Amino acid sequence: MTFNSLSVIGLGYVGLPTAAIFAGHGLDVVGVDTNAAVVDKINRGEVHFVEPGLDKIVGDAVAAGKLRAALEPEAADAFIIAVPTPFTDDHKPDLGHLMAAAESLKGVLKKGNLIIVESTVPVGTTERVSVRLAELCPELSFPHDAGDGADIRIAHSPERVLPGNVVVELSKNDRVIGGITPRCSERAAALYGLAVEGKCLLTAAATAELVKLAENAYRDVNIAFANELSVICDKLDIDAWDVIEMANHHPRVNILQPGPGVGGHCIAVDPWFIVDSAPDDTPLIRAARKVNDAKPHHLAGRVLDAAKEMTDPLIACLGLAYQADIDDLRQSPAITVVRELAGAGQTVLAVEPHIKALPTELDGLEGVTLNDLDEALNAADIVVLLVDHEDFKDVVKDGAKDRLAGKTTFDARGIWR
Ligand code: SAJ
């Protein structure tokens, strides 16, 4: 049986591009989101966040009548759940959105349906979804209980796309697919086969859950190494990027890039899901989190030391997003730096070309304003580069003029060397 219709629950950074790509391959796709403004926007063929190439594929799919958005789930052949799975203040997984999304399928599920959990989840969650739906839908059988012969098939297939390159990576990346049973994996692979060029690697649900968490914890640990090295370099007055560039000439060394810290909704969050599952066996993963979380404070401390040597300096902070060329501010270390500078009584000229107003974390903070790049560069005594946005790259070589001349600079991304 092939798939004609798909419902994607959660129209955020992963769900919306996923919905658009399947619609572009001919499926009738309904995207579901609880935010009415998002639903309206998508139905007008527009997108609600910055992601290269996304506006075109969403616009085309809506215009072709293959993609529409709704507030409630509707019957479909397959469902993909792509909602946020954040953590609580004490670093425990918060599965509230995920379980609510799963529960919203009660009443629309029918025999033969496939459900895929794409959200990043702690080990055991896909099975929990199956158990919960079995409680809510007693007329249907579910794979944790009925095995391969179940009415409903459920699998975990973690998204692995990099914000800023989502449209390309969604179709090119290999996919890990972990079904609750082998048949569940095969059905999920058949769905992705309609739109994904990468390989489908089939495994069990729990293995797929840990694969995704391991990928992000691995990256966090490696970034922590680069960040720790850069703190050492600051102390020894050595250029960290020189050290890394030269060390990386070794055939078996590949050190990542230091930065102002690790942000986003993935790398800064997912390692905690492993810690939560194995609290006594995760010293390295915890240490990496601690090193990366300390990095913005280290940077802010250095800027404040420089500011203390001046009278009422103006500090330009370039970039608020958590990484280059996107407007995503979630868990952004740049925001932590700005808050810390403002909290110490400094005047901060924030520059973020991808947003039109200060985010709530900074709005109303005394001493912080949102500025355009030229205003901030002209006025600032200290310039702190926090995000390697394209717009900031040619600041040092704007014609013959060095726009940083005479200013104290902190280049947390190493792009002005
Ligand atoms: N960062 C550094 N130095 C580096 C690389 C990144 O400081 O060398 C910083 C970034 O500036 C950013 C943070 O780390 O603040 C995280 O960025 P990232 O590029 O590592 O990745 P994310 O969080 O945008 O996306 C990650 C990706 N996972 C891996 O690369 C293993 C992506 O493939 C996942 O799909 C995504 O998490 C996710 O949704 O889980």
Side-chain angles (χ1 to χ4, degrees):
M1 199 181 76
T2 187
F3 297 94
N4 297 312
S5 58
L6 169 70
S7 181
V8 179
I9 319 291
L11 294 174
Y13 295 86
V14 172
L16 181 56
T18 302
I21 280 178
F22 276 102
H25 283 81
L27 273 80
D28 289 311
V29 182
V30 176
V32 180
D33 203 285
T34 49
N35 184 331
V38 165
V39 167
D40 287 346
K41 203 156 199 182
I42 293 166
N43 283 332
R44 290 197 302 271
E46 296 165 13
V47 299
H48 59 101
F49 55 91
V50 174
E51 176 61 47
L54 183 64
D55 44 356
K56 163 106 177 80
I57 59 169
V58 169
D60 288 353
V62 171
K66 289 303 214 180
L67 172 64
R68 71 188 161 80
L71 287 165
E72 303 280 345
E74 297 173 19
D77 297 332
F79 298 86
I80 291 180
I81 301 179
V83 295
T85 44
F87 57 18
T88 60
D89 287 345
D90 55 350
H91 299 135
K92 300 267 174 221
D94 173 358
L95 299 180
H97 298 295
L98 178 80
M99 294 316 280
E103 288 166 6
S104 74
L105 301 183
K106 174 180 157 48
V108 296
L109 276 184
K110 53 185 191 315
K111 190 173 165 153
N113 276 167
L114 167 71
I115 302 170
I116 296 174
V117 175
E118 279 208 15
S119 309
T120 303
V121 291
V123 173
T125 306
T126 308
E127 176 122 0
R128 262 183 73 186
V129 165
S130 186
V131 171
R132 180 69 187 127
L133 282 169
E135 286 164 9
L136 293 174
C137 311
E139 70 288 2
L140 294 166
S141 62
F142 286 82
H144 69 280
D145 183 34
D148 260 344
D151 293 335
I152 304 294
R153 290 175 182 126
I154 304 184
H156 176 55
S157 183
E159 59 82 12
R160 301 158 107 191
V161 290
L162 194 70
N165 198 28
V166 168
V167 174
V168 174
E169 293 205 3
L170 256 186
S171 61
K172 301 268 181 221
N173 287 1
D174 293 341
R175 288 210 80 101
V176 172
I177 298 179
I180 292 186
T181 67
R183 185 80 189 109
C184 295
S185 303
E186 284 158 21
R187 280 301 281 162
L191 177 69
Y192 287 115
L194 300 175
V196 167
E197 291 172 35
K199 278 197 212 96
C200 289
L201 312 169
L202 307 197
T203 183
T207 306
E209 289 165 340
L210 189 57
V211 167
K212 168 63 194 237
L213 299 177
E215 289 167 359
N216 280 358
Y218 169 86
R219 191 152 167 90
D220 198 42
V221 167
N222 282 278
I223 298 170
F225 182 81
N227 277 334
E228 185 162 303
L229 193 57
S230 77
V231 172
I232 296 166
C233 286
D234 288 341
K235 189 162 266 175
L236 302 180
D237 201 17
I238 293 171
D239 184 319
W241 285 276
D242 279 349
V243 172
I244 291 168
E245 198 175 300
M246 286 182 230
N248 284 351
H249 279 268
H250 185 290
R252 286 173 296 284
V253 173
N254 187 13
I255 304 173
L256 294 181
Q257 297 300 302
V262 166
H265 44 108
C266 310
I267 308 269
V269 175
D270 303 349
W272 290 114
F273 292 2
I274 305 184
V275 172
D276 187 60
S277 296
D280 298 331
D281 304 301
T282 38
L284 179 65
I285 293 173
R286 278 175 203 265
R289 281 282 70 245
K290 209 169 144 200
V291 168
N292 286 333
D293 279 349
K295 192 66 202 295
H297 305 296
H298 168 79
L299 174 60
R302 293 180 65 224
V303 177
L304 286 173
D305 286 345
K308 276 184 210 133
E309 306 294 314
M310 303 178 187
T311 314
D312 299 331
L314 293 176
I315 306 177
C317 284
L318 307 193
L320 294 176
Y322 88 85
Q323 64 180 11
D325 302 324
I326 57 172
D327 65 347
D328 191 341
L329 307 183
R330 286 177 292 173
Q331 318 268 347
S332 175
I335 291 188
T336 308
V337 171
V338 171
R339 284 181 65 89
E340 204 153 314
L341 297 179
Q346 300 297 328
T347 305
V348 179
L349 310 173
V351 179
E352 177 45 78
H354 299 99
I355 60 172
K356 293 194 177 69
L358 282 173
T360 43
E361 299 97 313
L362 300 179
D363 198 18
L365 264 194
E366 196 164 338
V368 183
T369 50
L370 185 64
N371 301 259
D372 76 26
L373 180 61
D374 290 332
E375 274 166 17
L377 283 179
N378 290 339
D381 304 293
I382 299 176
V383 181
V384 188
L385 186 283
L386 293 167
V387 187
D388 43 341
H389 287 319
E390 267 316 307
D391 306 43
F392 302 153
K393 288 195 172 150
D394 52 7
V395 159
V396 275
K397 45 178 170 56
D398 179 22
K401 199 167 78 200
D402 179 352
R403 300 169 79 196
L404 300 174
K407 302 179 193 292
T408 301
T409 58
F410 294 86
D411 174 3
R413 299 282 182 175
I415 63 168
W416 290 338
R417 298 163 59 240

